[in-house]
Amino acid sequence: MDLTKEMEREKSGAQLNHLFQWEKDASLNAIQTGLYIGWRCPHYLWDCFRIGDESKCFCGHLLREHHIISDITVPCNVSQCRCLMFCFIPSRPEEVGEFWLKRRATFDPKAWRAQCRCKHSHEEHAATGTHPCRHRGCGCNNFESNFLCAACDRRWEEHETFFETQETRRRGGRPHGAEYVTFADMPVLQETILNSSDFEALQMQRLPCHPSPHPSSPAFPSPHRLQPGPPSDRHT
């Protein structure tokens, strides 16, 4: 293969890995534990984003800083945080389609925050209720996103975060098992982001997957487990 093409392929692979690492981990963890956490518009059959430990809640804290008690009770563990239910918010410009921001020399990815139309970030809004703005002098009573979801072009407030079991997803006709893994319908791209341990983890779950060209290595660690709550799939 031409060296230039090989270098370009490796560069594209690295970019895909960076962009989809969290979603890949979340999908593999969901298969292992039976807990699927997704962010989507309620009527969609597919998730706009798969949610994992590093995903951010509207309150500003990560999923791993929340306690998954049931499918409708996921309060924040951070001291003095009043958040009672994990509610996903984009934490990277790529998740709202603003890929161009990273090309700016002055761009700081750690400082980026999803914003409301009032020009204040989600962290400047209350973590509960309608999320009114807490910024002094701002009359904003509801968080209204000034961005669109990169996956469906709809607003943040049209989406919800769902905590579901595999059976719940099966009954709802939503992807589960191997079909839930990132790029399940595009095996060439899937090979780009899955490594040998990922393929081994899938094989240990006795799920069909695209054959791995790499040798086996230890599987990934297991995450949270879901405790059943009252019958409900809808969250705000």
Side-chain angles (χ1 to χ4, degrees), residues 10-23:
E10 290 183 0
K11 180 181 178 181
S12 298
Q15 290 173 339
L16 276 176
N17 271 308
H18 172 74
L19 189 57
F20 291 99
Q21 180 69 42
W22 292 355
E23 284 211 68

Side-chain angles (χ1 to χ4, degrees), residues 25-161:
D25 289 345
S27 62
L28 293 172
N29 288 347
I31 292 172
Q32 185 184 55
T33 64
L35 168 59
Y36 293 73
I37 311 173
W39 187 65
R40 63 175 183 268
C41 294
H43 58 283
Y44 285 177
L45 290 179
W46 44 272
D47 297 296
C48 291
F49 290 105
R50 300 164 182 81
I51 307 304
D53 280 354
E54 299 302 314
S55 298
K56 184 172 285 188
C57 176
F58 190 92
C59 70
H61 303 122
L62 305 180
L63 175 63
R64 59 179 167 80
E65 298 175 290
H66 288 68
H67 179 40
I68 303 177
I69 299 173
S70 74
D71 58 335
I72 60 172
T73 308
V74 188
C76 185
N77 283 333
V78 177
S79 177
Q80 299 185 339
C81 183
R82 301 180 64 184
C83 172
L84 300 176
M85 182 67 201
F86 179 88
C87 182
F88 175 76
I89 190 80
S91 60
R92 299 182 295 175
E94 298 96 326
E95 294 170 332
V96 299
E98 296 180 353
F99 296 89
W100 51 271
L101 276 177
K102 286 199 168 183
R103 292 198 291 268
R104 287 183 173 179
T106 57
F107 176 71
D108 180 4
K110 293 183 179 180
W112 188 89
R113 296 291 185 274
Q115 291 191 335
C116 175
R117 288 181 175 180
C118 71
K119 304 304 181 183
H120 299 127
S121 77
H122 65 95
E123 292 179 350
E124 296 175 280
H125 287 68
T128 59
T130 60
H131 308 298
C133 188
R134 297 177 299 177
H135 198 276
R136 181 174 297 181
C138 184
C140 171
N141 293 317
N142 301 275
F143 183 87
E144 296 183 11
S145 60
N146 72 345
F147 57 87
L148 299 176
C149 168
C152 73
D153 279 342
R154 300 184 75 90
R155 295 197 174 278
W156 174 86
E157 50 269 33
E158 297 178 76
H159 293 69
E160 296 175 14
T161 306

